[in-house]
Amino acid sequence: MRRRARTRIVGATAFVVSIAVSLGGCSNIDASRSTLPPATTTPATTSSSTSTTSTSSTTTTTIDDRIPTADEQALVQAFADRADALMASKDVHAVAIAIARRGSVIGDIVRGSTPSGAALTTDSRFRIASISKVPLAIVVMQLVDEDSLHLDRPFAEQWRDLPRVNDPRVRTITVRQLLQHTSGFSNLRGIFFGGGGTDWRSAAIASVGSTLDTDPGTKYRYSNANFVIFATLVEQITDLPFDEAIRRRVLEPLGITSAQLTGTRVTDPTGPAYAVDASRNYMEVLGPAGAWCMTAADTARILAALQPGASTLVPADLLAQMRTPMPVPSIDEDWTYGLGLLLFHDSFGHTGTLEDVMAFAIDLPNGYTVAVLTATEEFDDGEAVKGAFQTEIDALAAVS
């Protein structure tokens, strides 16, 4: 896990970095950070089907196709109040929250400002870090359903023109083990965060050539290597760039238009500002494993599409496998891992942690989905941000 950034902060007009796919924009931040506009709360409305933003407000609410109940409106307000408290008491300079009920967004809360000082809106894109792995995992499961990928066969047998393998155990890693992070790959921080990789494709090749930490299937070890390997497999099978495959198979069916891949030092004038070290290139190297940017509402829509009984993206039997705990112990008693999903005691989804980015998105058993995206270094990781909202999450989970 990456903790407090010990990095030089670059200005909000930093140049755009090209990567191997089409990049959108999320902003970086200057050393002083823009002064945040005063925060007020706009309660949920009952008539709008689109975002409604006041220039003096950093909270907005969007309703997709149903009127929120009084209890739901009260809970949206509770999440807004928690965001206010974090902004006031901690070094949190932007927050976006979306709450959905069976895919219909009932609350969309935004706090913070753009690099120019304008209030963020519900159209502002935030970095989602490792939540990026979820749409790729969905595509992988679709290819499994189509019999184009095989969960329990080694990925090496399914990769055309496999690059050099130095550890023979790599040839035995199955697709299922990649999804579970039980492949045995180390976190390979030097490749992903230390300048060892130039882009995600070079990272995939380097990962295949690396020495495993453990025998495949014997231990959980979170590694971005698993998902850059998946992107290669997806491109080979679909004959599309991985992001286009995700767009066609996941984003477009859900009506998602805000999602873009971003570079480490890309500026988006509509989004929040991020503290970024001028020497780093982790977004280019992470690519499919962590470089997506989108609104909180669209993040929630992706997770909501995996609610039991609601998914049209993944067949029910494979969705059940995604929510089945891995067969090895977790490193934390509060969660385990399934196939591309973090499994908590009463919810599932994913967290995200990067330089100045902490986020989580989860599905609750009663059909609600919560996505919280922040620009901050105040927390240790995305799971800690989830903990900060646990009271509100528990209250939402209790709604019948």
Side-chain angles (χ1 to χ4, degrees):
M1 293 182 183
R2 184 213 41 78
R3 297 296 176 264
R4 308 276 181 201
R6 300 191 269 291
T7 59
R8 184 170 71 84
I9 297 173
V10 301
T13 57
F15 61 89
V16 173
V17 181
S18 296
I19 62 177
V21 293
S22 174
L23 294 179
C26 282
S27 59
N28 58 357
I29 189 171
D30 64 25
S32 60
R33 293 201 179 106
S34 300
T35 301
L36 300 178
T40 59
T41 299
T42 302
T45 63
T46 59
S47 60
S48 174
S49 60
T50 58
S51 300
T52 304
T53 305
S54 165
T55 56
S56 62
S57 173
T58 55
T59 297
T60 57
T61 304
T62 180
I63 309 303
D64 280 346
D65 57 8
R66 86 189 223 346
I67 297 172
T69 66
D71 285 344
E72 289 171 340
Q73 291 188 50
L75 284 166
V76 170
Q77 182 63 55
F79 275 91
D81 291 344
R82 180 66 64 185
D84 285 339
L86 293 178
M87 295 283 288
S89 64
K90 296 182 180 294
D91 183 19
V92 178
H93 44 280
V95 182
I97 304 170
I99 302 165
R101 168 76 171 180
R102 304 206 181 282
S104 177
V105 176
I106 60 170
D108 201 348
I109 300 156
V110 183
R111 293 284 191 269
S113 63
T114 68
S116 67
L120 296 173
T121 75
T122 53
D123 294 324
S124 296
R125 285 185 292 268
F126 279 63
R127 297 182 178 195
I128 67 170
S130 283
I131 302 173
S132 299
K133 294 178 173 68
V134 176
L136 182 55
I138 291 171
V139 172
V140 168
M141 297 306 283
Q142 290 173 344
L143 295 177
V144 169
D145 180 54
E146 295 163 13
D147 208 31
S148 298
L149 266 179
H150 303 277
L151 281 173
D152 297 310
R153 280 179 50 194
F155 82 86
E157 295 178 2
Q158 303 176 74
W159 180 321
R160 294 197 306 269
D161 301 321
L162 187 73
R164 180 187 176 99
V165 173
N166 296 306
D167 185 336
R169 294 175 296 175
V170 169
R171 294 184 179 275
T172 71
I173 299 168
T174 66
V175 168
R176 186 183 301 273
Q177 289 163 350
L178 291 175
L179 284 165
Q180 292 172 333
H181 293 284
T182 60
S183 60
F185 286 117
S186 73
N187 59 26
L188 298 175
R189 289 191 62 83
I191 293 173
F192 289 99
F193 299 102
T198 56
D199 57 30
W200 70 266
R201 289 186 175 87
S202 71
I205 293 170
S207 297
V208 169
S210 69
T211 300
L212 299 183
D213 266 7
T214 62
D215 289 339
T218 63
K219 188 176 180 180
Y220 172 83
R221 184 68 182 271
Y222 190 87
S223 179
N224 291 300
N226 300 312
F227 279 75
V228 293
I229 287 171
F230 274 138
T232 300
L233 294 173
V234 166
E235 291 198 339
Q236 290 185 352
I237 293 168
T238 66
D239 199 28
L240 293 169
F242 82 86
D243 57 314
E244 183 61 21
I246 288 173
R247 199 169 301 280
R248 294 186 188 185
R249 288 170 166 265
V250 180
L251 304 181
E252 289 179 359
L254 296 177
I256 290 172
T257 59
S258 73
Q260 294 185 355
L261 289 164
T262 187
T264 310
R265 300 186 297 280
V266 170
T267 297
D268 178 350
T270 70
Y274 293 99
V276 176
D277 187 323
S279 68
R280 302 182 77 183
N281 69 334
Y282 50 84
M283 297 294 270
E284 290 77 9
V285 183
L286 286 169
W292 283 103
C293 241
M294 64 185 71
T295 65
D298 280 347
T299 307
R301 288 184 181 101
I302 291 174
L303 266 294
L306 297 178
Q307 286 276 6
S311 180
T312 59
L313 298 179
V314 180
D317 59 331
L318 291 178
L319 186 59
Q321 290 194 55
M322 293 181 76
R323 302 194 310 271
T324 300
M326 61 187 177
V328 300
S330 173
I331 59 173
D332 192 308
E333 64 181 13
D334 292 330
W335 55 264
T336 184
Y337 214 86
L339 300 184
L341 294 173
L342 271 171
L343 310 178
F344 300 96
H345 295 306
D346 57 356
S347 62
F348 64 88
H350 217 287
T351 59
T353 305
L354 277 174
E355 186 177 37
D356 212 32
V357 178
M358 310 287 167
F360 72 88
I362 56 171
D363 284 337
L364 301 175
N366 58 350
Y368 286 97
T369 301
V370 180
V372 176
L373 314 176
T374 71
T376 184
E377 280 289 322
E378 183 68 24
F379 296 92
D380 284 343
D381 50 30
E383 188 182 353
V385 174
K386 177 178 176 290
F389 285 88
Q390 196 61 53
T391 298
E392 291 73 32
I393 293 169
D394 291 343
L396 187 63
V399 175
S400 58

